[in-house]
């Protein structure tokens, strides 16, 4: 698989990220490393958001509509896949700049 394909796969669940990381580890170029960081940041934020939302919904069931905020995560996922497909290194909105400075093991 080429690095562009692996960059796209990295956004498809944590399993996709692991596949992209281990398959592309030896031949990873700048594009793949960049999207691995962005995708991992999105996965971390998604997990934290999901846990927080479940806690809030358990305590305050009338705030169920906050679940619609998860659409923002889907939008970020789509933006990341489009950027990887176009071979662009554009940061994801909101979390992208933070992701660029994290995960030093991907340098």
């Amino acid at each position: 698989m080429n690095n562009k394909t692996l960059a796209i796969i990295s956004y498809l669940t944590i399993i996709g990220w692991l596949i992209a990381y281990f398959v592309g580890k030896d031949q990873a170029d700048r594009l793949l490393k960049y999207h691995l960081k962005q995708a991992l940041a999105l996965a971390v934020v998604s997990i934290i958001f999901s846990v927080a939302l479940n806690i809030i919904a358990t305590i305050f069931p009338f705030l169920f509509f906050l679940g619609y905020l998860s659409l923002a995560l889907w939008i970020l996922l789509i933006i990341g896949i489009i950027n990887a497909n176009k071979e662009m290194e554009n940061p994801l909105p909101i979390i992208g700049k933070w992701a660029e400075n994290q995960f030093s093991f991907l340098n």
Side-chain angles (χ1 to χ4, degrees):
M1 272 189 254
N2 65 13
N3 286 332
K4 176 183 172 181
T5 304
L6 290 173
I8 294 169
I9 290 172
S10 70
Y11 286 97
L12 304 176
T13 71
I14 198 69
I15 305 275
W17 188 91
L18 289 170
I19 290 169
Y21 177 73
F22 286 113
V23 170
K25 186 166 57 170
D26 297 330
Q27 76 226 18
D29 63 356
R30 182 181 164 116
L31 177 76
L32 179 57
K33 289 178 183 178
Y34 184 83
H35 285 289
L36 282 170
K37 284 183 178 184
Q38 295 287 306
L40 185 57
L42 182 59
V44 168
V45 168
S46 295
I47 290 168
I48 292 170
F49 182 77
S50 177
V51 169
L53 193 60
N54 282 325
I55 291 170
I56 290 170
T58 302
I59 297 171
F60 305 107
F62 58 89
L63 295 176
F64 68 92
F65 61 88
L66 290 177
Y68 293 114
L69 292 176
S70 64
L71 290 175
L73 297 172
W74 282 100
I75 292 169
L76 292 178
L77 176 80
I78 292 168
I79 291 170
I81 291 172
I82 291 171
N83 287 340
N85 187 47
K86 291 182 177 180
E87 299 182 12
M88 296 169 51
E89 293 183 15
N90 292 344
L92 293 173
I94 303 167
I95 64 169
K97 290 292 183 185
W98 170 77
E100 290 175 350
N101 301 320
Q102 303 300 317
F103 315 116
S104 59
F105 67 94
L106 292 171
N107 291 332

